[in-house]
Amino acid sequence: MTTLPSLTDIQAARRAVAGSAIRTPLVRLNVRDLPAEIYLKLENLQSIGSFKIRGAANAMSHMTPEMLAGGVLTASAGNMAQGVAWCARDLGISCTVIAPESAPETKVRAIQRLGGRVIKAPFDVWWNAFEQRAIPGVAGTFIHAFDDLNVMAGNGTIALEILEDLPDVDAVVIPWGGGGLACGIAAAMRALRPQCKIFAAEVAAGAPLAASLSAGAPQQIDYQASFVDGIGAKTVFPQMFARAQELIDGSLVAELEAVASALRLLAEHNRVIAEGAGACSVACAVAGPAGPGKVVCIVSGGNIDSAKLCAILSEPGVATGPPSY
């Protein structure tokens, strides 16, 4: 059996993150002709525009003064980096981030505004930082964006809020990037409402979990960068795959155009601005595979470049192939 955050860990995390993360609203998607009652957990409303503030705050609350003294570092496409940088600024310590070369400038500028130092690197170098849990030549305590029990426990606080607002939830659909969000939420749900289905949401341009679950082992896939930059990778970490096998009922995969359509749907019907990863869960749910009943979609973030957002909102169909914005 893999190691997971306990319900006690997640309940303690709620207290630890209270000063950094807000309790986000759960609202009904304002579209009625759908296969389920779809609800939106609006993590895009967090101070950094993403759920990542929860895991970062909880992880750093567990660090000793000695661990924090030399600063912190992380590998991130943008959202976890903002969470770590936000908390580091509050603590008065340094923060360094290694980001992929494809990281959106919106997210890079946000990290820098928070005082974080950004080092861009090729995708493979960036991914290696997750595996090595270090950045060669850079000092500081490494905070893993997803494969960290304290990060997962912080993310799991979302489940506590969902169950308070919608105790009879039937399914939760969660964007899958590295798996820390899905596994954290699922760990709490399995303890408190085990009958609730838990689905990962992936985009077809980078869906390693779906391929791995189908094969029964982690798989390498042909990853293609797209406007859905907060999720998607070439493979699944073995330890995260083991957790997914234990916790997740399946991975739902949406095409790029379906995600773009969901992004437009959120903006037009609920006036919600989501990034591609945040809209992916909605794209999967409105298609029906999460089942009927009450389905919660985690809108994981809203940090999307304005130019990309405008292109998607104004030109339906623009996201069917490799993105050009």
Side-chain angles (χ1 to χ4, degrees):
M1 180 177 291
T2 54
T3 305
L4 298 167
S6 68
L7 180 58
T8 299
D9 294 333
I10 294 167
Q11 291 168 334
R14 189 173 193 180
R15 296 186 291 273
V17 308
S20 302
I22 66 168
R23 189 189 190 287
T24 55
L26 183 71
V27 302
R28 182 84 178 265
L29 178 62
N30 294 328
V31 181
R32 291 296 184 265
D33 187 19
L34 293 172
E37 287 183 33
I38 295 179
Y39 295 82
L40 310 172
K41 182 61 172 167
L42 297 178
E43 288 296 298
N44 60 310
L45 299 180
Q46 293 289 354
S47 57
I48 60 165
S50 161
F51 76 94
K52 292 285 191 177
I53 189 73
R54 296 177 186 260
N58 192 50
M60 293 172 75
S61 77
H62 285 266
M63 292 182 182
T64 65
E66 292 74 23
M67 295 170 69
L68 294 170
V72 290
L73 62 150
T74 191
S76 169
N79 284 338
M80 185 64 175
Q82 290 179 60
V84 173
W86 178 283
C87 296
R89 184 184 63 178
D90 283 354
L91 292 169
I93 61 175
S94 65
C95 170
T96 302
V97 174
I98 184 168
E101 291 174 333
S102 60
E105 284 305 310
T106 295
K107 295 181 179 180
V108 171
R109 290 193 297 270
I111 297 163
Q112 293 170 335
R113 283 197 300 271
L114 292 168
R117 177 168 69 109
V118 179
I119 302 172
K120 283 196 171 185
F123 186 92
D124 288 342
V125 175
W126 174 69
W127 191 253
N128 186 63
F130 290 112
E131 297 176 334
Q132 299 300 317
R133 298 174 181 267
I135 303 171
V138 181
T141 300
F142 189 80
I143 301 175
H144 204 288
F146 52 87
D147 185 19
D148 181 291
L149 289 179
N150 291 324
V151 168
M152 284 186 273
N155 297 338
T157 61
I158 294 171
L160 304 182
E161 296 174 10
I162 291 172
L163 289 170
E164 288 171 354
D165 292 343
L166 194 68
D168 56 345
V169 58
D170 295 299
V172 182
V173 185
I174 310 163
W176 178 281
L181 176 61
C183 290
I185 291 174
M189 282 289 180
R190 291 296 177 233
L192 295 170
R193 186 167 171 79
Q195 67 269 46
C196 179
K197 295 289 187 181
I198 305 292
F199 296 104
E202 296 184 281
V203 64
L209 180 63
S212 299
L213 290 173
S214 178
Q219 300 294 301
Q220 290 275 344
I221 63 159
D222 181 19
Y223 167 77
Q224 297 179 342
S226 73
F227 74 93
V228 187
D229 52 74
I231 57 174
K234 295 181 178 181
T235 190
V236 181
F237 270 49
Q239 56 270 38
M240 299 309 296
F241 177 69
R243 292 180 175 114
Q245 285 185 305
E246 186 175 340
L247 295 169
I248 306 298
D249 291 293
S251 179
L252 313 180
V253 180
E255 297 293 334
L256 281 169
E257 174 51 33
V259 178
S261 178
L263 193 151
R264 291 190 289 269
L265 187 75
L266 288 168
E268 293 169 3
H269 289 263
N270 280 74
R271 297 298 184 253
V272 167
I273 300 302
E275 60 188 88
C280 187
S281 59
V282 178
C284 291
V286 298
K294 298 179 179 180
V295 178
V296 171
C297 296
I298 308 299
V299 181
S300 54
N303 294 317
I304 184 169
D305 277 326
S306 298
K308 292 181 181 180
L309 176 64
C310 290
I312 293 170
L313 293 179
S314 62
E315 298 182 45
V318 72
T320 54
S324 57
Y325 0 92

